[in-house]
Amino acid sequence: MEIPNFADLGKNARDVFATGYHHGKGLIKLNVKTKSARRFQITSDTTLNFEASKLSGLMETKYKANAGALLLKWTTEGVLSLGYEFNSLLMKSVDLLSECTYNPETAAKCVKVGTKFTNERINAHCEISNDLNASTSLLGSFVVRCRDLFVGYRGGYDTALNKMTKNDIGLAYGCADVDFHFRCTCIPHEYGLSVLYKVNPDLDIAADGIYARRGDLQKWTVGAGAKCKLDEKSTLRFKFNTDLQLATSLLQKLNDGITLILSFNIDCAKITRGGHRVGLALNVEA
């Protein structure tokens, strides 16, 4: 079994709650991905928000070479990024990462370097990001596997603020039909627990609970969701939480590589006042 990175711990449960929901007060999303000879890849992700009358998105180009991959990215905010990833250049299972970012509008520049190490027992990642006009940030994470148990930690530090920006732990456990994921974000301010149960190959149900505490302020949220595969081309999702937010989405494969997603979010606490959200997404892959 592949060792996930820290951000992917509990990914199966999050898929039930996050994937397929693109709703807003009038939101249209277009995602296009193309590949050529398994070396050249172009990805375009564009979102049009009618509520804010704003178009946002990015264009990403990736070229895979024998020693790694060259990455070029441009966003509608005018930010340009150029990076290169060296695969197993110094030693096996060790990748070196580098990226330069420039914003012509603000003249902001950033340089990022990092390394990633993976094997059958551990997945570790460390990077240093230097904003040439401000500060240096450090970010590192690791996940260790012990049979079916995954234990991970992520930490971040900002030299200008002189404080931790990330201080998270995560534990994930999976067996035949059930996955558990416990997390503590910004120790000790936020706790979360998610459970995924695979009822059958076509139906997944999940529950997620979050408890946050900041000084005298406390907040907790519990949600439940399900993902049901109706047939080979259709997938239905729905979720509900204690904030009385009810959401549903329908994924429909129109053709090979073309997927249409329609999603809704209803605020049950203000159901007669309007303000509910709807979204439409189109994914194209070739």
Side-chain angles (χ1 to χ4, degrees), residues 4-276:
N5 57 38
F6 184 87
D8 286 339
L9 286 177
K11 185 178 183 298
N12 290 336
R14 288 201 306 274
D15 174 67
V16 176
F17 288 96
T19 304
Y21 294 98
H22 306 290
H23 44 249
K25 288 188 177 179
L27 192 69
I28 295 178
K29 185 174 182 179
L30 175 64
N31 178 272
V32 179
K33 181 183 293 185
T34 63
K35 293 182 180 180
S36 175
R38 297 186 179 181
R39 282 182 175 267
F40 191 71
Q41 177 177 316
I42 299 178
T43 301
S44 175
D45 198 345
T46 306
T47 301
L48 177 61
N49 190 327
F50 288 97
E51 181 183 13
S53 298
K54 181 178 180 181
L55 177 68
S56 59
L58 63 85
M59 174 74 76
E60 182 178 293
T61 302
K62 186 175 184 180
Y63 178 77
K64 294 183 179 180
N66 294 330
L70 176 67
L71 179 66
L72 177 64
K73 186 187 299 183
W74 174 84
T75 72
T76 52
E77 303 296 330
V79 180
L80 301 172
S81 298
L82 178 65
Y84 197 89
E85 176 179 338
F86 299 91
N87 301 124
S88 303
L89 180 64
L90 300 179
M91 59 183 295
K92 186 179 179 180
S93 303
V94 176
D95 296 339
L96 301 179
L97 317 171
S98 62
E99 183 178 304
C100 299
T101 303
Y102 175 65
N103 189 336
E105 183 176 354
T106 62
K109 309 178 187 68
C110 182
V111 178
K112 183 188 301 182
V113 294
T115 182
K116 180 174 64 174
F117 173 76
T118 57
N119 63 15
E120 66 277 3
R121 289 289 181 182
I122 187 171
N123 186 325
H125 173 259
C126 179
E127 68 178 39
I128 301 175
S129 178
N130 180 254
D131 188 334
L132 302 182
N133 299 321
S135 64
T136 300
S137 300
L138 309 176
L139 180 65
S141 66
F142 69 86
V143 175
V144 179
R145 177 187 178 188
C146 181
R147 294 189 178 180
D148 294 328
L149 178 67
F150 298 90
V151 181
Y153 174 78
R154 177 173 60 186
Y157 181 77
D158 191 301
T159 58
L161 301 177
N162 194 27
K163 72 173 187 178
M164 297 285 291
T165 56
K166 297 284 187 181
N167 188 24
D168 313 328
I169 61 171
L171 292 90
Y173 176 79
C175 54
D177 298 322
V178 182
D179 291 337
F180 296 91
H181 177 224
F182 170 79
R183 59 200 181 274
C184 182
T185 306
C186 296
I187 301 172
H189 297 297
E190 184 176 307
Y191 301 87
L193 176 65
S194 61
V195 181
L196 172 71
Y197 176 53
K198 294 182 177 294
V199 180
N200 57 53
D202 296 329
L203 177 62
D204 294 345
I205 60 175
D208 183 64
I210 299 175
Y211 171 75
R213 179 182 61 191
R214 290 276 184 176
D216 295 333
L217 299 177
Q218 299 184 39
K219 180 177 175 60
W220 61 272
T221 303
V222 177
K227 180 179 71 171
C228 179
K229 186 177 179 181
L230 302 178
D231 52 42
E232 292 300 323
K233 293 187 176 182
S234 304
T235 301
L236 178 66
R237 289 179 171 88
F238 65 88
K239 60 183 179 179
F240 183 76
N241 61 28
T242 51
D243 293 330
L244 300 182
Q245 300 293 316
L246 174 63
T248 183
S249 78
L250 176 64
L251 181 149
Q252 182 70 41
K253 291 186 178 180
L254 304 180
N255 205 339
D256 291 340
I258 302 178
T259 303
L260 181 69
I261 304 174
L262 181 63
S263 56
F264 300 89
N265 185 83
I266 301 173
D267 188 349
C268 297
K270 305 174 182 177
I271 194 168
T272 60
R273 302 182 188 178
H276 309 298

